[in-house]
């Protein structure tokens, strides 16, 4: 079992950057595939980015291609989402998710693929 805690959200002007962090508890963090999802105001939660147990596997939603980067540091039990060129439509609550332990090594993009979730962090990009 893993517990996830997100941080790094906040208010930023359009065009700015933020880096979200998600720290996982426990000693088997490296055995989990990780993902980021977001829920804009009044909308359903959607996939943003994912990374496999191996960093070779990464996947991004089309709307963040070239702007967001997902990475992980297993020594720190942390997955990151670097967000650049933020737009007002990126405003949402961002959630970290984990799939594991020891499922197939891949980047997963469906909510139903994940069995652990963080509490979310608010990101607001103002115009």
């Amino acid at each position: 079992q893993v517990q996830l805690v997100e941080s790094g959200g906040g208010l930023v002007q359009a065009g700015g950057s933020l880096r979200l962090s998600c720290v996982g508890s426990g000693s088997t963090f490296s055995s989990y595939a990780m993902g980021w999802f977001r829920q804009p105001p009044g909308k359903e939660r959607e996939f943003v980015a994912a990374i496999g147990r191996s960093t070779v596997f990464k996947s991004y939603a089309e709307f963040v291609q070239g702007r967001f980067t997902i990475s992980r540091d297993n020594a720190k039990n942390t997955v990151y989402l670097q967000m650049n060129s933020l737009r007002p439509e990126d405003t949402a609550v961002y959630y970290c998710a984990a799939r594991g332990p020891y499922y197939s090594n891949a980047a997963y993009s469906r909510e139903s693929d994940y069995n652990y979730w963080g509490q979310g962090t608010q990101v607001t990009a103002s115009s």
Side-chain angles (χ1 to χ4, degrees):
Q1 188 171 355
V2 65
Q3 292 182 322
L4 305 171
V5 178
E6 303 99 331
S7 63
L11 175 64
V12 64
Q13 286 190 332
S17 299
L18 284 174
R19 188 176 78 158
L20 304 183
S21 300
C22 172
V23 179
S25 64
S27 61
T28 60
F29 181 79
S30 62
S31 68
Y32 290 82
M34 302 298 296
W36 286 97
F37 291 76
R38 71 185 188 185
Q39 187 166 17
K43 298 184 179 180
E44 297 197 349
R45 191 155 58 184
E46 60 187 3
F47 168 72
V48 176
I51 188 167
R53 293 190 282 117
S54 165
T55 57
V56 169
F57 298 100
K58 295 182 181 180
S59 178
Y60 295 94
E62 189 172 332
F63 55 76
V64 303
Q65 288 279 0
R67 300 189 298 127
F68 292 8
T69 302
I70 189 170
S71 61
R72 66 188 299 163
D73 184 342
N74 290 333
K76 296 181 178 180
N77 280 15
T78 302
V79 63
Y80 302 99
L81 185 67
Q82 177 66 45
M83 304 187 295
N84 299 328
S85 302
L86 282 162
R87 304 167 180 168
E89 54 264 38
D90 294 319
T91 294
V93 177
Y94 283 72
Y95 296 91
C96 172
R99 173 183 171 90
Y102 298 117
Y103 284 96
S104 298
N105 192 6
Y108 297 90
S109 61
R110 299 178 304 179
E111 283 193 58
S112 59
D113 290 328
Y114 292 88
N115 45 346
Y116 299 100
W117 292 84
Q119 82 290 348
T121 186
Q122 176 70 45
V123 171
T124 303
S126 62
S127 57

